[in-house]
Amino acid sequence: MEKKFVKVRSVKDIVVFTSFVIAGCALALLPESVGANIGGYILILAGFILAFMLKSAYEDMDTRQKYVKKEFFFGPELRASIEKAIGSNPSSLNLKEEGKGQSLKVVMFSSKSADKAYLQLFEYIPYEYQAKSEVFEYGYSAVEKLV
């Protein structure tokens, strides 16, 4: 199964850049302080820049559902146990070993509203991570411990 996810704006991103623009407008309209006006213009500019740059959510190209991405990194000696865990019981993934290596990467896309999660194992082959497992789909409750 091949899943395609693209980066999109989340509600949090929209709130952040909108609040920058609104705060900037409020400061820019103050009649007494030139410093506040300049600060307001800078906040407005920052808000517009953030509007183009902030994209922290991921969208499934098939269903248009939004997901959160989380990555876990492991050493190469854990490959067999990781493959077994993501293939059958993702909550049994040993997160105490996470961060002790960069050779293996488990990528998880989860959505509480869609009640779905997707897991896939990648291995670092010089200059890029290559997929080493298929994409496994689970209910959100199965991966809740990892979130």
Side-chain angles (χ1 to χ4, degrees):
M1 172 171 62
E2 182 77 19
K3 294 299 282 183
K4 296 280 186 187
F5 294 94
V6 294
K7 285 187 114 174
V8 295
R9 286 179 193 86
S10 67
V11 172
K12 182 175 80 173
D13 299 335
I14 295 168
V15 167
V16 167
F17 72 75
T18 304
S19 63
F20 268 68
V21 171
I22 291 171
C25 289
L27 285 174
L29 295 175
L30 287 177
E32 286 117 26
S33 175
V34 174
N37 294 110
I38 292 171
Y41 296 131
I42 291 171
L43 280 178
I44 292 170
L45 179 65
F48 283 125
I49 291 171
L50 287 175
F52 291 106
M53 296 183 68
L54 278 182
K55 291 184 178 182
S56 63
Y58 289 82
E59 185 175 80
D60 184 359
M61 294 295 291
D62 298 332
T63 63
R64 298 291 184 206
Q65 188 69 37
K66 290 190 178 169
Y67 290 83
V68 175
K69 180 180 181 181
K70 190 157 187 173
E71 296 178 338
F72 305 99
F73 294 93
F74 298 96
E77 66 278 357
L78 298 172
R79 182 174 178 165
S81 64
I82 292 170
E83 285 178 336
K84 182 180 176 189
I86 68 169
S88 60
N89 183 12
S91 62
S92 69
L93 195 61
N94 187 5
L95 293 181
K96 292 179 184 172
E97 297 295 323
E98 198 265 330
K100 294 184 179 176
Q102 296 287 313
S103 180
L104 299 174
K105 174 172 77 168
V106 175
V107 176
M108 178 178 70
F109 292 97
S110 61
S111 173
K112 194 170 188 175
S113 62
D115 193 35
K116 287 186 184 177
Y118 298 97
L119 289 144
Q120 188 172 19
L121 175 66
F122 291 85
E123 182 176 21
Y124 184 76
I125 308 296
Y127 308 113
E128 68 179 339
Y129 281 97
Q130 295 180 354
K132 292 297 175 182
S133 74
E134 61 183 271
V135 178
F136 295 99
E137 180 180 342
Y138 292 100
Y140 185 80
S141 59
V143 298
E144 201 163 19
K145 175 187 151 197
L146 303 176
V147 176

